[in-house]
Amino acid sequence: MNLSTIPRLLVACFLSVSAMAQATPPQEVIPLWPANAIPNELASARSTTITEKTTTDGGILRISDVLTPTLTVYPAKAKSAGMPAGAAVMICPGGGYSILAAEHEGSDIARWFADRGVTAFVLKYRLPDPRLQQTPHEVPLSDAMQGMRIIRQLAAKYSINPDRIGVMGFSAGGHLAATLSTHYDKGAKADQMAKPNFSILMYPVITFGDKAHAGSRTKLLGTLATDPTWVDYYSNEKQVSANTPPTFLVHSMNDKTVPVENSINYYLACLQQKVIAEMHLYPTGGHGFALRTKSGESVANWPTALEGWMKQLVMGN
């Protein structure tokens, strides 16, 4: 190598790294709860050998054994003509309530929204685990409700309209988003501050009855998975009411993991309750596609459909 080229190479490397740093600044990470006051946590949870794990398998970034739930913020960039001002969305990655697919169903989606002028928050929620929690089935919803409250509390900081905050979920994260949308007003912990203004459900787990994704049901409910009362309670097609927020659903008809009837039955429940809803069913796409669709498949059009729905049917201009 010609030694005279080394300074130029160093400068080029520095400029490249600098440009990357400017393009992908560190994201703000907000804990959902004070470290010493995480609800439903067993006193022994912090003294166990369990630690949060992040691995990549089959091209999927997987987070497991979540001890500290958080929101990661992706601030809106310049306003897009296709999205309304002040909108925000909280994103719930999927993973069967066993792991969080935190990249293609989390950070990738958040960047897509931010590029279009929508502030996005990726929810790292706790996964039900009897080793760590007193009543594990309550934990994901508790974290989701707290996430929505925090976003509303921070609305002014991020120039968010508190009436334009939605939730988006994928697969089991879609079940959590649908549970938030139908259970925010149930029981002693009901809280209007936790209500989403709209819901985006991507190939969601909806039912815990017929056509259920058995893995999600078993992981969330544990020993309660055969109890009809709890099965019905978390079968969200049975929990839709007139107060359920407007909903956008996407599913592929050849989904072998979560049957398409999950979305269809939620949509029909919305129609019965006169809740604004739009559903897009695609012949192919399988499960877990998010933005990773194949060229030539019609399912690749779902993001464009979502932009139109958010602008025209939910938010206005």
Side-chain angles (χ1 to χ4, degrees), residues 252-272:
S252 72
M253 298 177 71
N254 69 341
D255 190 330
K256 303 301 184 186
T257 302
V258 177
V260 69
E261 286 87 349
N262 281 258
S263 284
I264 291 171
N265 290 335
Y266 194 89
Y267 175 77
L268 291 174
C270 287
L271 288 185
Q272 185 176 14

Side-chain angles (χ1 to χ4, degrees), residues 178-290:
T179 304
L180 177 63
S181 299
T182 56
H183 292 68
Y184 69 89
D185 57 352
K186 290 186 179 355
K189 297 179 181 179
D191 187 354
Q192 288 291 323
M193 283 286 288
K195 180 182 180 179
N197 297 112
F198 61 96
S199 302
I200 305 164
L201 307 180
M202 300 292 301
Y203 39 88
V205 175
I206 292 293
T207 190
F208 276 1
D210 187 37
K211 302 294 183 180
H213 179 248
S216 295
R217 177 179 59 198
T218 300
K219 193 65 172 64
L220 183 65
L221 294 183
T223 58
L224 302 174
T226 58
D227 185 326
T229 299
W230 288 107
V231 167
D232 281 356
Y233 186 75
Y234 285 107
S235 290
N236 290 320
E237 79 281 9
K238 296 183 178 183
Q239 304 301 328
V240 173
S241 73
N243 295 322
T244 299
T247 304
F248 182 91
L249 299 113
V250 174
H251 221 119
S252 72
M253 298 177 71
N254 69 341
D255 190 330
K256 303 301 184 186
T257 302
V258 177
V260 69
E261 286 87 349
N262 281 258
S263 284
I264 291 171
N265 290 335
Y266 194 89
Y267 175 77
L268 291 174
C270 287
L271 288 185
Q272 185 176 14
Q273 295 294 331
K274 296 181 171 53
V275 172
I276 294 172
E278 180 170 315
M279 179 171 59
H280 290 262
L281 303 182
Y282 298 95
T284 60
H287 188 76
F289 47 83

Side-chain angles (χ1 to χ4, degrees), residues 100-235:
L100 301 179
E103 186 175 47
H104 79 291
E105 294 178 350
S107 57
D108 288 353
I109 300 295
R111 292 187 184 95
W112 182 89
F113 275 111
D115 287 345
R116 288 158 179 79
V118 176
T119 301
F121 299 78
V122 177
L123 179 69
K124 185 178 74 173
Y125 56 93
R126 288 173 293 163
L127 301 159
D129 189 334
R131 301 172 300 171
L132 302 174
Q133 301 135 14
Q134 299 170 26
T135 49
H137 67 92
E138 296 180 352
V139 164
L141 178 59
S142 174
D143 286 353
M145 290 181 70
Q146 178 69 351
M148 289 298 294
R149 285 190 287 262
I150 288 174
I151 293 170
R152 283 208 162 85
Q153 291 164 4
L154 296 176
K157 176 179 179 179
Y158 293 105
S159 301
I160 293 170
N161 183 331
D163 296 323
R164 293 182 174 182
I165 303 172
V167 65
M168 182 180 200
F170 297 78
S171 193
H175 183 267
L176 178 55
T179 304
L180 177 63
S181 299
T182 56
H183 292 68
Y184 69 89
D185 57 352
K186 290 186 179 355
K189 297 179 181 179
D191 187 354
Q192 288 291 323
M193 283 286 288
K195 180 182 180 179
N197 297 112
F198 61 96
S199 302
I200 305 164
L201 307 180
M202 300 292 301
Y203 39 88
V205 175
I206 292 293
T207 190
F208 276 1
D210 187 37
K211 302 294 183 180
H213 179 248
S216 295
R217 177 179 59 198
T218 300
K219 193 65 172 64
L220 183 65
L221 294 183
T223 58
L224 302 174
T226 58
D227 185 326
T229 299
W230 288 107
V231 167
D232 281 356
Y233 186 75
Y234 285 107
S235 290

